[in-house]
Amino acid sequence: MSRPGGRRMNGRVFIPRRGMLALLGATGAAWLAGCSNDDTRSSAAMPAQASGTIWTERAPLLAPNSETAVAELDGNIYVIGGYPSTRVYVDTVQVYDSRTDSWSYTTALPRSMHHTMAAATNGRVYVIGGEMSRSGIADQGIFLNTVYEYDPATATWTERTAMPTARSGGATGVIDGKIYVAGGRPPGGHDFAVYDPAADTWTELPDLPTQRNHLAAGVIGGRLYVVGGRFGGGVGSEMTGVVEVYDPSSNNWTRAAPMPTARGGVNGIAARGCFYAFGGEGNDADPRGVFAENEVYDPRAGSWRRLDPIPTPVHGVAGAAYLNGWIHLPGGGTARGGNSGSTLHQAFQAVMDCE
């Protein structure tokens, strides 16, 4: 198989040019979906890597960044806060317009921050928690409980009711218009609460069973999947592949099959009923200390599958965006730690269907 402007790399087609949606048909191996509803199945018998899937690049960020939060609203992708290789953390909000494959800045955050969490719902973008320091240089400093709401119609930020606990390095998911925030750097690794934007109120929920931070989360079938992460606040902390699932209807947690490759700094998103987990840091086998793994979970079969790795492995991005069949992974660090923020904007064609 060949693609215009592309080249085959280790069994996948990589297309370096941008704006190729019209030329890239739905490709990829057939998804061998099971019919089991048992979320506790082991992933030891994970199928072999699929072939024929596609990575591409979109317009690069305006400024290099890592330890950011990402949210998508109405075809626009927001990259919020974070810091470049200087570790001087920022208040910038870079916005990608998927219709024009271009970036711009919008109104800056009310304060500079990094390791924040973000989500979009009901026509607004919400930035929750995060971290700052008195020096202005990113380190494990002061945790935030702030909540800021962005209105794209007026490009303005409004402060809302604070989160019950101050924390950074967690993950979010939206169910029925409410924002669930799970985990965070110690001592907030068990913290779990939900924000109702309509009422501007928070409710604390049963603890995340496995305390962790630098994790990923996504919503499938009205349930929140919380995936991977690390236990300690530092980059050398022990990593985990644990997957825990919260059901709002029962207010309970259950376990699903663990992610095959334990990793912190992992990024993830739910798309077409599957959960995709990308990259991460803490890989001692790689000279850069990062993971290229791209693994997908099918909740119907209760199992994971390995997909084509990221062309340039990254970590330090909380959240992704799914638009027009593509998962967008903007920015991120290309080496272990916080000294390698990039302008990369990689995108993966999500051909698997778990619905």
Side-chain angles (χ1 to χ4, degrees):
M1 181 182 70
S2 63
R3 296 282 171 187
R7 64 186 186 273
R8 182 169 289 279
M9 298 170 59
N10 297 325
R12 69 185 184 277
V13 173
F14 178 72
I15 299 191
R17 295 187 294 176
R18 305 191 298 270
M20 300 291 289
L21 287 174
L23 297 176
L24 300 176
T27 61
W31 179 245
L32 302 180
C35 299
S36 171
N37 291 318
D38 181 7
D39 274 354
T40 62
R41 285 176 46 171
S42 170
S43 61
M46 184 177 65
Q49 177 174 310
S51 62
T53 47
I54 291 176
W55 283 94
T56 186
E57 290 182 2
R58 298 289 189 258
L61 276 67
L62 298 173
N65 216 338
S66 69
E67 308 306 346
T68 62
V70 172
E72 181 273 324
L73 179 65
D74 297 333
N76 294 320
I77 301 173
Y78 295 78
V79 177
I80 300 163
Y83 52 83
S85 59
T86 62
R87 297 183 68 88
V88 177
Y89 56 93
V90 298
D91 61 2
T92 54
V93 181
Q94 301 183 55
V95 185
Y96 175 74
D97 186 335
S98 63
R99 294 163 288 269
T100 61
D101 187 35
S102 63
W103 290 87
S104 62
Y105 288 107
T106 190
T107 307
L109 290 164
R111 69 201 309 172
S112 299
M113 64 180 74
H114 58 96
H115 285 88
T116 187
M117 294 85 77
T121 184
N122 301 321
R124 302 288 192 273
V125 174
Y126 294 86
V127 177
I128 300 169
E131 201 166 336
M132 59 175 290
S133 70
R134 291 184 176 87
S135 69
I137 302 297
D139 53 25
Q140 291 185 47
I142 301 167
F143 297 128
L144 303 173
N145 64 355
T146 50
V147 177
Y148 298 111
E149 177 191 80
Y150 175 78
D151 182 351
T154 59
T156 56
W157 292 95
T158 303
E159 188 165 2
R160 297 301 186 191
T161 299
M163 186 166 50
T165 55
R167 49 188 162 129
S168 73
T172 66
V174 177
I175 303 174
D176 295 331
K178 298 178 181 180
I179 304 170
Y180 292 78
V181 185
R185 269 182 160 159
H190 283 293
D191 290 354
F192 185 50
V194 61
Y195 176 65
D196 182 347
D200 190 28
T201 58
W202 284 89
T203 302
E204 295 187 75
L205 297 172
D207 282 355
L208 177 65
T210 303
Q211 77 83 20
R212 48 208 158 112
N213 63 91
H214 288 72
L215 65 166
V219 174
I220 301 172
R223 299 195 296 170
L224 180 72
Y225 287 73
V226 179
V227 178
R230 67 191 192 209
F231 298 135
V235 67
S237 304
E238 182 182 356
M239 300 172 294
T240 181
V242 69
V243 177
E244 290 163 332
V245 185
Y246 175 75
D247 188 342
S249 65
S250 65
N251 197 31
N252 286 321
W253 289 94
T254 57
R255 279 216 178 188
M259 183 169 56
T261 307
R263 41 204 160 118
V266 66
N267 194 2
I269 190 170
R272 301 182 69 184
C274 311
F275 188 89
Y276 293 82
F278 301 92
E281 68 178 333
N283 184 4
D284 293 336
D286 183 276
R288 297 160 298 183
V290 289
F291 290 93
E293 273 73 8
N294 171 15
E295 295 165 342
V296 61
Y297 178 74
D298 183 346
R300 301 170 306 170
S303 62
W304 288 84
R305 186 180 184 87
R306 182 178 295 112
L307 301 176
D308 294 315
I310 308 173
T312 303
V314 293
H315 71 92
V317 183
Y322 178 61
L323 288 167
N324 302 317
W326 292 86
I327 295 172
H328 293 250
L329 306 171
T334 57
R336 189 196 307 259
N339 302 315
S340 60
S342 71
T343 61
L344 283 167
H345 181 183
Q346 302 178 96
F348 176 75
Q349 191 176 36
V351 298
M352 304 304 174
D353 188 355
C354 305
E355 295 176 332

